Amino acid sequence: MSKPKYIRTLADTEAQAVARNIRVSPRKLNLVAATIRNQPAGKAIAALTFSRRRIAQQVKKALESAVANAENNHQLDVDKLVVKTAEVGKSIVMKRFHARGRGRSARVEKFFSHLKIVVAERAEAEEAPKAGKNSKEQKAA
């Protein structure tokens, strides 16, 4: 007896990477994730490389993992990849205490987050209109 076959929930043109228990609050991680949503994968990696936020390097690592999964496991074209979704979820919360005045204490909560990045291959039909809108010749005509 073996386990039943895993049913793939993503489309054939999609790949994902999951980073779990990242030591940052979900609110802060979501700010970084929002900058890469719906961006081409190369542009998103460049934006994360030069981001000044501490957590950007771990998000970049997860994005590079998703791109590598797309290339090696699903034979997708790296140049056509787009960040389809970047989902942020709440993980555990470590509870600590901080000494305060007059013998009291205050609670300190240290948040952890999950990050799921899905990259998808862009179709050729989506690429052509974007290139046409930016050309000056078509606007003048």
Side-chain angles (χ1 to χ4, degrees):
M1 302 261 319
S2 63
K3 294 194 302 187
K5 186 176 178 185
Y6 174 74
I7 299 171
R8 185 170 152 79
T9 57
L10 298 175
D12 291 336
T13 60
E14 295 176 357
Q16 74 176 2
V18 179
R20 296 202 180 274
N21 297 323
I22 301 172
R23 180 59 191 89
V24 68
S25 70
R27 289 178 65 177
K28 292 178 184 176
L29 182 59
N30 195 36
L31 291 173
V32 176
T35 62
I36 64 169
R37 286 188 186 111
N38 301 319
Q39 296 284 329
K43 188 175 178 183
I45 289 173
L48 291 171
T49 301
F50 297 108
S51 175
R52 298 191 64 195
R53 293 194 175 264
R54 174 186 64 87
I55 203 62
Q57 296 310 311
Q58 286 180 300
V59 175
K60 178 185 168 190
K61 194 172 178 180
L63 178 57
E64 288 172 342
S65 176
V67 170
N69 289 341
E71 182 181 13
N72 296 321
N73 300 346
H74 305 294
Q75 288 72 42
L76 300 179
D77 187 11
V78 176
D79 298 327
K80 295 181 182 178
L81 289 180
V82 176
V83 179
K84 185 177 178 184
T85 60
E87 299 174 6
V88 176
K90 187 177 178 183
S91 180
I92 63 169
V93 179
M94 287 194 309
K95 292 156 181 95
R96 299 290 182 260
F97 287 96
H98 181 69
R100 304 300 295 173
R102 300 173 67 177
R104 295 185 180 147
S105 64
R107 187 180 217 177
V108 176
E109 294 181 334
K110 297 177 181 272
F111 295 97
F112 284 73
S113 307
H114 296 316
L115 175 65
K116 178 180 171 184
I117 297 178
V118 177
V119 292
E121 195 173 48
R122 188 173 37 196
E124 287 80 16
E126 296 175 17
E127 293 176 18
K130 289 181 182 177
K133 289 180 184 177
N134 294 334
S135 65
K136 294 179 182 177
E137 297 84 28
Q138 290 184 354
K139 290 181 182 179

